[in-house]
Amino acid sequence: VPQGPAVGGPPSAGGDKDPAARLSIEFGAEKHDFGPTRQGDILEHTFSLKSTGENPVRIRQTSPTCGCTVSKVVVDDGQGNFGPYKMGDEIPPGREVRIEAILDTAHKTNKTQVRINVYTNDPIGLTQLALTSNIEPFIKATPPFVNLGDIKEGEQKVQVIDIRTSRGE
């Protein structure tokens, strides 16, 4: 089940942190760059994390920073099978956690970055995952604008605009 934006702000960082709980991600794997993509593409990436502390990790919430992104959390059952995760349940040490992220680029252009905030009982409390892409507009016009100047009644001016998709179609 996708986890939408947080309602009512982030979970409190109060006394529910456990110094022996850890949610770890390989250095550099907390970011994923899709490279150049085209506006309208649906981009998918799965982040792999692991419960590495002495005590179980509890994920309280995943919260994308943009409505264009949804995330789903699945956890290893100890047998290598991944199933849906219920927020707040214990994730025993040694178990893998996957956060499946989907980024809809329909209303995005240029260099874009969105984050998914993962709130846990880990002493750090917040793990940020990032998705980036350089999103090309679906349609390009050459020239990008037309200035016909003053046109008098009865006069005609013509300019040609080439309109193509960003991939030349």
Side-chain angles (χ1 to χ4, degrees), residues 11 23 49 57-62 73-75 85-91 97-99 117-121:
L23 182 63
L49 301 96
V57 166
R58 287 186 175 90
I59 298 175
R60 290 189 291 276
Q61 183 180 67
T62 60
V73 181
V74 294
V75 178
Y85 175 71
K86 181 182 172 204
M87 294 296 162
D89 281 358
E90 290 187 350
I91 303 170
V97 177
R98 293 182 182 165
I99 298 181
N117 295 320
V118 181
Y119 298 96
T120 68
N121 66 330

Side-chain angles (χ1 to χ4, degrees), residues 123-139:
I124 294 170
L126 170 64
T127 300
Q128 288 193 324
L129 309 174
L131 300 170
T132 59
S133 181
N134 189 16
I135 302 170
E136 300 172 348
F138 184 77
I139 294 177

Side-chain angles (χ1 to χ4, degrees), residues 9-26:
S12 96
D16 52 358
K17 290 185 181 180
D18 182 343
R22 287 269 185 268
L23 182 63
S24 302
I25 188 165
E26 186 177 321

Side-chain angles (χ1 to χ4, degrees), residues 93-114:
R95 299 275 176 92
E96 186 179 348
V97 177
R98 293 182 182 165
I99 298 181
E100 300 168 356
I102 300 171
L103 170 61
D104 182 351
T105 66
H107 302 289
K108 302 284 185 189
T109 56
N110 302 318
K111 187 71 173 171
T112 297
Q113 178 172 304
V114 296

